[in-house]
Coordinates of all heavy atoms in Angstrom, one line a residue:
V3 N -20.5 5.7 -13.6 CA -20.2 6.1 -12.2 C -18.8 5.5 -11.7 O -18.0 6.2 -11.2 CB -21.3 5.8 -11.2 CG1 -20.9 6.2 -9.8 CG2 -22.6 6.5 -11.6
G4 N -18.7 4.1 -12.0 CA -17.5 3.5 -11.6 C -16.3 4.1 -12.4 O -15.1 4.1 -11.8
T5 N -16.4 4.5 -13.7 CA -15.4 5.1 -14.3 C -14.8 6.4 -13.7 O -13.6 6.7 -13.5 CB -15.8 5.4 -15.8 OG1 -16.1 4.2 -16.4 CG2 -14.7 6.1 -16.6
Y6 N -15.9 7.2 -13.2 CA -15.6 8.4 -12.6 C -14.8 8.1 -11.3 O -13.8 8.7 -10.9 CB -16.9 9.2 -12.2 CG -16.7 10.2 -11.2 CD1 -16.2 11.5 -11.6 CD2 -17.0 10.0 -9.9 CE1 -15.9 12.4 -10.6 CE2 -16.8 11.0 -8.9 CZ -16.3 12.2 -9.2 OH -16.0 13.1 -8.3
V7 N -15.2 7.2 -10.5 CA -14.6 6.8 -9.2 C -13.2 6.4 -9.4 O -12.3 6.8 -8.7 CB -15.4 5.7 -8.5 CG1 -14.7 5.3 -7.2 CG2 -16.8 6.3 -8.1
L8 N -13.0 5.5 -10.4 CA -11.7 5.0 -10.7 C -10.7 6.1 -11.1 O -9.6 6.3 -10.6 CB -11.7 4.0 -11.8 CG -10.4 3.4 -12.4 CD1 -9.6 2.8 -11.3 CD2 -10.7 2.4 -13.5
A9 N -11.1 7.0 -12.0 CA -10.3 8.1 -12.6 C -10.1 9.1 -11.5 O -9.0 9.7 -11.4 CB -10.9 8.6 -13.8
R10 N -11.2 9.4 -10.6 CA -11.0 10.4 -9.6 C -10.0 10.0 -8.6 O -9.3 10.9 -8.1 CB -12.4 10.6 -9.0 CG -12.4 11.7 -8.0 CD -12.3 13.1 -8.7 NE -12.4 14.2 -7.8 CZ -11.4 14.7 -7.1 NH1 -10.2 14.3 -7.2 NH2 -11.6 15.9 -6.4
R11 N -9.9 8.8 -8.2 CA -9.0 8.3 -7.2 C -7.6 8.3 -7.7 O -6.6 8.6 -6.9 CB -9.3 6.9 -6.7 CG -10.6 6.9 -5.9 CD -10.9 5.3 -5.5 NE -12.1 5.2 -4.7 CZ -12.6 4.1 -4.4 NH1 -12.1 2.9 -4.8 NH2 -13.8 4.1 -3.6
H12 N -7.3 8.1 -9.0 CA -6.0 7.9 -9.4 C -5.5 8.8 -10.4 O -4.4 8.9 -10.6 CB -5.9 6.5 -10.0 CG -6.2 5.4 -9.1 ND1 -5.4 5.0 -8.1 CD2 -7.4 4.6 -8.9 CE1 -5.9 4.0 -7.3 NE2 -7.1 3.7 -7.9
F13 N -6.4 9.6 -11.1 CA -5.9 10.5 -12.1 C -6.5 12.0 -11.9 O -6.2 12.8 -12.8 CB -6.3 10.0 -13.5 CG -5.7 8.7 -13.9 CD1 -6.5 7.5 -13.8 CD2 -4.4 8.6 -14.1 CE1 -5.9 6.3 -14.2 CE2 -3.8 7.3 -14.4 CZ -4.6 6.1 -14.4
G14 N -7.3 12.2 -11.0 CA -7.8 13.6 -10.6 C -9.2 13.9 -11.2 O -9.8 13.1 -12.0
R15 N -9.7 15.1 -10.8 CA -11.0 15.4 -11.1 C -11.3 15.7 -12.5 O -12.2 15.3 -13.1 CB -11.2 16.8 -10.3 CG -12.6 17.4 -10.5 CD -12.8 18.6 -9.7 NE -11.7 19.6 -9.8 CZ -11.5 20.6 -9.0 NH1 -12.2 20.7 -7.9 NH2 -10.5 21.4 -9.3
A16 N -10.3 16.4 -13.2 CA -10.5 16.7 -14.7 C -10.6 15.4 -15.5 O -11.5 15.3 -16.3 CB -9.4 17.6 -15.2
A17 N -9.7 14.4 -15.3 CA -9.7 13.3 -16.0 C -11.0 12.5 -15.7 O -11.6 11.8 -16.6 CB -8.5 12.4 -15.6
A18 N -11.4 12.4 -14.4 CA -12.6 11.7 -14.0 C -13.9 12.2 -14.7 O -14.7 11.4 -15.2 CB -12.8 11.7 -12.5
L19 N -14.1 13.5 -14.6 CA -15.3 14.0 -15.3 C -15.3 13.9 -16.7 O -16.3 13.6 -17.4 CB -15.5 15.5 -14.8 CG -15.8 15.8 -13.4 CD1 -15.8 17.2 -13.0 CD2 -17.1 15.1 -13.0
A20 N -14.2 14.1 -17.4 CA -14.0 14.0 -18.8 C -14.4 12.5 -19.3 O -15.1 12.3 -20.3 CB -12.6 14.4 -19.3
A21 N -13.7 11.6 -18.6 CA -13.9 10.1 -18.9 C -15.3 9.7 -18.8 O -16.0 9.0 -19.6 CB -13.0 9.3 -18.1
A22 N -16.0 10.1 -17.7 CA -17.4 9.8 -17.5 C -18.3 10.4 -18.5 O -19.2 9.8 -19.0 CB -17.8 10.2 -16.1
A23 N -17.9 11.7 -18.9 CA -18.8 12.4 -19.9 C -18.7 11.7 -21.2 O -19.7 11.5 -22.0 CB -18.3 13.8 -20.0
L24 N -17.5 11.3 -21.6 CA -17.3 10.6 -22.9 C -18.0 9.3 -22.9 O -18.5 8.8 -23.9 CB -15.8 10.6 -23.2 CG -15.1 11.9 -23.5 CD1 -13.6 11.8 -23.6 CD2 -15.7 12.6 -24.7
F25 N -17.8 8.6 -21.8 CA -18.5 7.2 -21.8 C -20.0 7.4 -21.9 O -20.7 6.6 -22.5 CB -18.1 6.5 -20.5 CG -18.4 5.1 -20.3 CD1 -19.0 4.4 -21.4 CD2 -18.2 4.4 -19.2 CE1 -19.4 3.1 -21.3 CE2 -18.4 3.1 -19.1 CZ -19.0 2.4 -20.1
A26 N -20.5 8.4 -21.2 CA -22.0 8.6 -21.2 C -22.6 8.9 -22.5 O -23.7 8.5 -22.9 CB -22.3 9.7 -20.3
A27 N -21.8 9.6 -23.4 CA -22.3 10.0 -24.7 C -21.9 9.2 -25.9 O -22.4 9.4 -27.0 CB -22.0 11.5 -24.9
N28 N -20.9 8.3 -25.7 CA -20.4 7.5 -26.9 C -21.4 6.7 -27.5 O -22.1 5.9 -26.9 CB -19.3 6.6 -26.3 CG -18.6 5.9 -27.5 OD1 -19.0 4.7 -27.7 ND2 -17.6 6.5 -28.1
P29 N -21.6 6.9 -28.9 CA -22.7 6.1 -29.6 C -22.6 4.5 -29.5 O -23.5 3.9 -29.4 CB -22.6 6.6 -31.0 CG -21.9 8.0 -30.9 CD -21.0 7.9 -29.7
W30 N -21.3 4.2 -29.6 CA -21.1 2.7 -29.5 C -21.6 2.2 -28.1 O -22.3 1.2 -28.0 CB -19.7 2.3 -29.7 CG -19.0 2.6 -31.0 CD1 -18.6 3.8 -31.4 CD2 -18.9 1.7 -32.1 NE1 -18.1 3.7 -32.7 CE2 -18.3 2.4 -33.2 CE3 -19.2 0.4 -32.2 CZ2 -18.0 1.8 -34.3 CZ3 -19.0 -0.3 -33.5 CH2 -18.3 0.4 -34.5
A31 N -21.2 2.8 -27.1 CA -21.6 2.4 -25.7 C -23.0 2.5 -25.6 O -23.7 1.6 -25.0 CB -20.8 3.3 -24.7
V32 N -23.7 3.5 -26.0 CA -25.1 3.8 -25.9 C -25.8 2.7 -26.6 O -26.8 2.1 -26.1 CB -25.5 5.1 -26.3 CG1 -27.0 5.3 -26.3 CG2 -24.9 6.3 -25.5
E33 N -25.5 2.4 -27.8 CA -26.2 1.5 -28.6 C -26.2 0.1 -28.0 O -27.2 -0.6 -27.9 CB -25.5 1.4 -30.1 CG -26.3 0.5 -31.0 CD -27.6 1.1 -31.4 OE1 -27.6 2.3 -31.7 OE2 -28.6 0.4 -31.5
Y34 N -25.0 -0.4 -27.5 CA -24.9 -1.7 -26.9 C -25.6 -1.8 -25.5 O -26.0 -2.8 -25.1 CB -23.5 -2.1 -26.8 CG -22.8 -2.6 -28.0 CD1 -21.7 -2.0 -28.6 CD2 -23.3 -3.7 -28.6 CE1 -21.1 -2.5 -29.7 CE2 -22.7 -4.2 -29.8 CZ -21.7 -3.6 -30.3 OH -21.1 -4.0 -31.5
A35 N -25.8 -0.7 -24.9 CA -26.4 -0.5 -23.6 C -27.9 -0.5 -23.7 O -28.6 -0.6 -22.7 CB -26.0 0.7 -22.8
R36 N -28.5 -0.5 -24.9 CA -29.9 -0.4 -25.1 C -30.5 -1.7 -25.5 O -31.6 -1.9 -25.7 CB -30.3 0.6 -26.2 CG -30.0 2.0 -25.8 CD -29.9 2.9 -27.0 NE -31.0 2.8 -27.8 CZ -32.2 3.6 -27.6 NH1 -32.3 4.4 -26.7 NH2 -33.2 3.4 -28.5
K37 N -29.6 -2.7 -25.7 CA -30.0 -4.0 -26.2 C -29.8 -5.1 -25.2 O -28.9 -5.2 -24.5 CB -29.1 -4.3 -27.5 CG -29.4 -5.6 -28.2 CD -28.5 -5.8 -29.3 CE -28.7 -7.1 -30.1 NZ -27.8 -7.3 -31.2

């Protein structure tokens, strides 16, 4: 959510939604967030 807020304020809607979606699905991020 914070990634979306940061990108939305400074880089626009498309960049914000894309960055948040990639963060949400990234296997490295997901794996480390489960431990």
Side-chain angles (χ1 to χ4, degrees):
V3 178
T5 299
Y6 165 81
V7 173
L8 174 59
R10 186 67 175 91
R11 288 178 179 174
H12 301 284
F13 301 106
R15 176 176 56 195
L19 291 175
L24 293 171
F25 193 2
N28 182 265
W30 294 86
V32 174
E33 187 69 46
Y34 281 119
R36 294 163 52 87
K37 181 181 178 182

